[in-house]
């Protein structure tokens, strides 16, 4: 199985062409913005490096968030253009699962808490459990929460000890239940491809996972200076 | 309106039809269109689909950027597929792929640009990042083959400019708004009065049967030198008029009178600027023959009527593209790309989407100008 995988939802822009567990070509850049400029030339370069044609590929894998709203849209819109132009299916993977998978692949077992920087006052979080063979299952749905809620949340989930991983581990220093830490700077696109290889586009659609609603307030009385129905 | 510089834009191989896919996502419409550049006027737009996000933004009384960006991403793929299917052409048959590259709400612009770049890369076609304003500015050539140069009044929710269009990529900005765009003023005033969103059609409808003389509103910049616009003082005057009325809700007649008075002042003030620009244009570009209006506010009937009269009196043709091409659309993006492609232009795949992108970078900055929205 051959998969083009890329991630732009976090602090980087990375692309790989993957074939049955092997990385045929890889490009990565560290950046917090600017993915809209870099991504397509990087995809073109990776495909060229791999020596494969578009019709040789089986699928496209992309991160769907949570992460930077703009960053995840860069990747998802590129994936839309690619599927229109090639007919390849697009498989969406959450950044949270990708980080958990990377921690499990690095040998971490038991409870794994993934923490992704929301670039606000809070974090995107999801707890997983890695069994003895490295099989992962989520313990709760993804959510956004401020740092001070992390300890109570762990208690709610019945987690007494866990490994914290993701790009925001530094923000969770000092939480007693987090006995181990596996900081990661970015999603590895090869890991993304590996996750996508076992799934169909129907099981894992490339729909954005924002978690947070847009910032917008509905104006009082619709902004009308003299409301039609006077207030008491 | 045949002329030496009018179409059609020839394909490299005269036998191959020149199809261009255009994508627009810079404000609150997601749109895709396929244009055939080598077709005669009237047969150029092969397919076009537009999805308005009006209902998503209506409760907020204006466009919310993050809501718009999310809506563009959810709509884009299906719209492009539909435009291509209706056109009956494959991606490999295209001569180029174009998207609005700015100016506009950047979250939305990025969505269209990324999809267009990806399609262009896979099929090894030229990619064109089109200036949204150039799309509006060149629309009269799509619809009417208007020859260069022409005088353009571009009036929309995000822009209010007077431009001389000398050629593709060649614009001389005579004036712009120093504060709000005309469409923005319509929206804000409609909101204050309680007429709903979008404000343009709401104000025009409410003004029917209203007394345009009941409220004595200012005509900003009227009679002043230059060609700039200003609408924020007018908007503030409407606010003061409402605040000075006796307590309690506005009656239907109050609303009509306010709408009529505001609309009359806005049209009057705009016409004064256009009249000056027409005289300047005729004196300095004597070969020019047309006054063109584009942008969503071009739908305003009283403004259109006044512009028609003005053009006739000044000896210019008045050209207003069909309303569906005055508001944001993708046919204008594909067409502007066609015009640029015919001159051998295209853009690199690392093009950076641009929130701001003036048509005439040499124009002096208007005092207080800051509208970002496209």
């Amino acid at each position: 199985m051959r998969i083009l995988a890329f991630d732009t939802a976090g602090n980087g822009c990375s692309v790989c062409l993957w074939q049955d567990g092997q990385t045929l070509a890889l490009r990565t850049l560290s950046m917090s913005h600017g993915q809209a400029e870099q991504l397509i030339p990087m995809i073109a370069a990776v495909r060229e490096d791999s020596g494969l044609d578009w019709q040789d590929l089986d699928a496209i894998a992309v991160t769907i968030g949570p992460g930077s709203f703009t960053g995840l849209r860069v990747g998802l819109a590129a994936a839309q253009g690619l599927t229109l132009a090639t007919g390849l299916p697009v498989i969406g993977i959450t950044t949270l699962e990708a980080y958990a998978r990377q921690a499990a692949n690095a040998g971490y077992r038991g409870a794994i808490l993934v923490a992704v920087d929301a670039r606000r006052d809070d974090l995107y979080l999801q707890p997983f459990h890695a069994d003895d063979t490295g099989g992962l299952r989520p313990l709760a749905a993804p959510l956004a929460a401020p740092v001070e809620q992390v300890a109570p949340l762990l208690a709610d989930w019945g987690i007494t000890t866990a490994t914290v991983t993701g790009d925001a581990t530094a923000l969770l220093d000092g939480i007693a239940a987090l006995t181990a830490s596996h900081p990661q700077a970015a999603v590895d696109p090869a890991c993304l491809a590996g996750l996508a290889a076992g799934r169909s586009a129907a099981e894992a659609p490339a729909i954005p996972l924002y978690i947070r609603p847009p910032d917008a307030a509905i104006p009082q009385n619709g902004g009308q200076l003299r409301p039609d129905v006077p207030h008491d | 309106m045949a002329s030496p510089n009018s179409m059609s834009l020839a394909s490299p191989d005269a036998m191959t039809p020149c199809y261009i896919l255009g994508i627009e996502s810079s404000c609150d419409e997601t749109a895709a269109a396929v244009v055939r550049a080598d077709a005669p006027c009237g047969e150029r737009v092969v397919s076009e689909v537009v999805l308005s996000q009006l209902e998503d933004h209506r409760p907020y009384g204006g466009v919310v950027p993050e809501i718009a960006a999310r809506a563009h991403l959810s709509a884009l793929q299906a719209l492009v597929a539909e435009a291509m299917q209706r056109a009956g052409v494959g991606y490999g048959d295209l001569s180029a792929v174009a998207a609005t590259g700015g100016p506009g709400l950047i979250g939305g612009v990025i969505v269209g640009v990324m999809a267009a770049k990806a399609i262009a890369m896979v099929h090894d076609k030229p990619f064109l990042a089109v200036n949204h304003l150039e799309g509006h500015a060149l629309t009269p050539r799509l619809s009417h083959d208007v020859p260069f140069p022409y005088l353009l009044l571009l009036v929309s929710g995000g822009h209010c400019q007077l431009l001389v269009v000398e050629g593709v990529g060649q614009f001389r900005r005579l004036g712009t708004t120093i504060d709000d765009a005309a469409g923005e003023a319509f929206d804000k005033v409609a909101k204050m009065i309680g007429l709903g969103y979008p404000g343009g059609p709401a104000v025009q409808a409410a003004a029917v049967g209203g007394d345009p003389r009941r409220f004595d509103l200012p005509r900003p910049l009227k009679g002043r030198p230059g060609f700039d616009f200003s609408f924020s003082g007018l908007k503030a005057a409407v606010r003061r008029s409402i605040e000075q009325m006796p307590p309690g809700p506005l009656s239907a007649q109050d609303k009509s009178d306010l709408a009529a008075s505001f609309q009359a002042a806005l049209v009057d003030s705009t016409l004064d600027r256009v009249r000056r620009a027409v005289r300047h244009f005729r004196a300095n570009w004597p070969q020019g023959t047309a006054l063109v209006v584009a942008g969503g506010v071009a739908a305003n009937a009283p403004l259109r009527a006044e512009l028609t009269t003005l053009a006739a009196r000044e000896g210019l043709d008045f050209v207003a593209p069909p309303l569906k091409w005055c508001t944001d659309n993708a046919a204008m993006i594909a067409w502007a790309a066609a015009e640029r492609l015919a001159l051998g232009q295209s853009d690199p795949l690392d093009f950076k989407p641009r929130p701001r992108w003036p048509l005439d970078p040499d124009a002096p900055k208007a005092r207080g100008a800051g509208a970002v929205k496209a």
Side-chain angles (χ1 to χ4, degrees):
Chain A
M1 187 155 203
R2 291 163 176 156
I3 296 177
L4 171 75
F6 49 91
D7 167 58
T8 55
N11 295 310
C13 187
S14 58
V15 183
C16 88
L17 228 159
W18 179 98
Q19 178 179 324
D20 301 323
Q22 268 199 308
T23 299
L24 302 181
L26 172 72
R27 299 269 167 132
T28 61
L29 285 174
S30 180
M31 50 167 55
S32 59
H33 48 77
Q35 289 98 336
E37 293 98 286
Q38 299 301 330
L39 178 63
I40 299 294
M42 285 169 73
I43 291 175
V46 160
R47 196 209 40 88
E48 206 159 298
D49 291 351
S50 75
L52 297 175
D53 283 326
W54 289 103
Q55 59 263 32
D56 300 329
L57 306 186
D58 298 296
I60 291 158
V62 62
T63 40
I64 59 171
S68 145
F69 293 167
T70 298
L72 68 91
R73 278 193 288 266
V74 165
L76 285 167
Q80 290 188 5
L82 291 172
T83 188
L84 285 166
T86 62
L88 291 169
V90 180
I91 293 150
I93 304 291
T94 70
T95 48
L96 299 161
E97 186 185 4
Y99 280 126
R101 180 76 267 158
Q102 287 164 210
N105 288 353
Y108 292 91
R109 295 292 180 265
I112 294 175
L113 176 69
V114 183
V116 169
D117 189 355
R119 302 186 193 184
R120 305 257 185 119
D121 298 339
D122 58 1
L123 306 167
Y124 299 124
L125 299 167
Q126 191 176 18
F128 290 85
H129 180 270
D131 64 27
D132 294 343
T133 60
L136 276 178
R137 82 189 146 82
L139 299 176
L143 78 166
V147 171
E148 57 274 16
Q149 270 180 33
V150 172
L153 277 167
L154 287 167
D156 286 353
W157 293 324
I159 296 173
T160 48
T161 62
T163 300
V164 62
T165 191
D167 67 7
T169 56
L171 299 173
L172 295 178
D173 276 353
I175 292 176
L178 301 176
T179 50
S181 178
H182 179 58
Q184 305 187 66
V187 168
D188 173 2
C191 173
L192 209 57
L195 285 167
R199 296 175 201 184
S200 70
E203 290 170 288
I207 295 170
L209 178 65
Y210 294 108
I211 296 187
R212 213 198 301 269
D215 277 334
I218 294 181
Q220 214 184 356
N221 305 313
Q224 213 174 333
L225 293 182
R226 294 293 177 88
D228 290 329
V229 181
H231 288 276
D232 293 326
Chain B
M1 215 181 282
S3 81
N5 64 3
S6 83
M7 305 339 116
S8 16
L9 307 176
S11 303
D13 167 3
M15 298 305 289
T16 313
C18 182
Y19 291 111
I20 295 175
L21 168 65
I23 297 173
E24 156 62 30
S25 58
S26 68
C27 191
D28 60 348
E29 327 266 359
T30 319
V34 176
V35 157
R36 189 172 164 179
D38 55 323
C41 191
E43 295 169 27
R44 289 173 181 149
V45 180
V46 184
S47 70
E48 55 182 326
V49 285
V50 184
L51 185 72
S52 170
Q53 305 171 4
L54 199 55
E55 294 311 319
D56 300 321
H57 301 289
R58 196 189 292 280
Y60 302 91
V63 179
V64 180
E66 178 61 22
I67 291 176
R70 292 183 183 195
H72 287 302
L73 184 68
S74 16
L76 188 75
Q77 186 177 328
L79 284 178
V80 172
E82 192 181 338
M84 290 297 287
Q85 199 211 335
R86 286 196 198 175
V89 298
Y91 293 96
D93 303 325
L94 296 171
S95 295
V97 184
T100 297
L105 299 174
I106 196 67
V109 172
I110 283 175
V111 169
V113 163
M114 293 312 294
K117 282 181 176 180
I119 295 168
M121 170 192 61
V122 168
H123 290 282
D124 204 13
K125 305 291 182 187
F127 162 72
L128 290 103
V130 171
N131 182 316
H132 178 87
L133 302 175
E134 180 157 29
H136 280 302
L138 296 178
T139 300
R141 291 168 58 78
L142 166 65
S143 62
H144 292 80
D145 273 346
V146 176
F148 298 123
Y150 50 90
L151 177 64
L152 171 72
L153 171 66
L154 177 57
V155 267
S156 70
H159 301 277
C160 191
Q161 305 189 1
L162 278 160
L163 295 151
V164 177
V165 184
E166 296 179 313
V168 176
Q170 293 172 275
F171 302 92
R172 212 68 83 75
R173 196 182 77 191
L174 302 183
T176 186
T177 179
I178 60 171
D179 40 54
D180 292 350
E184 197 179 355
F186 270 109
D187 284 343
K188 288 177 176 171
V189 164
K191 200 167 170 179
M192 288 184 231
I193 304 177
L195 296 173
Y197 176 82
V203 168
Q204 185 181 320
V208 175
D211 175 5
R213 285 173 305 274
R214 174 164 162 204
F215 297 94
D216 184 21
L217 299 173
R219 268 65 176 160
L221 299 181
K222 186 174 179 179
R224 300 269 292 277
F227 314 98
D228 285 339
F229 300 86
S230 167
F231 299 110
S232 82
L234 173 56
K235 179 187 67 187
V238 173
R239 173 182 289 274
R240 277 194 304 278
S241 299
I242 298 174
E243 283 165 355
Q244 284 161 10
M245 290 174 73
L250 300 176
S251 71
Q253 191 60 51
D254 291 336
K255 291 184 179 186
S256 279
D257 293 346
L258 279 162
S261 300
F262 163 73
Q263 182 175 255
L266 184 137
V267 169
D268 197 11
S269 167
T270 303
L271 254 288
D272 174 75
R273 316 315 292 165
V274 178
R275 191 176 299 112
R276 292 181 55 83
V278 163
R279 289 178 185 158
H280 182 75
F281 175 66
R282 295 203 59 204
N284 292 278
W285 286 267
Q287 71 279 38
T289 57
L291 167 66
V292 173
V293 66
V297 181
N300 183 268
L303 179 64
R304 254 173 128 92
E306 294 284 348
L307 289 170
T308 308
T309 310
L310 170 68
R313 195 183 300 136
E314 300 288 338
L316 290 178
D317 294 328
F318 176 66
V319 178
L323 284 181
K324 65 174 175 177
W325 295 337
C326 279
T327 51
D328 289 352
N329 67 90
M332 70 176 189
I333 300 306
W335 176 253
E339 295 242 40
R340 290 188 53 209
L341 191 69
L343 298 175
Q345 299 177 9
S346 67
D347 295 298
L349 290 176
D350 67 354
F351 170 84
K352 180 180 181 158
R354 301 176 66 172
R356 286 164 186 257
W357 188 355
L359 276 181
D360 178 1
D362 300 330
K365 215 172 176 176
R367 179 174 52 89
V372 181
K373 211 179 69 152

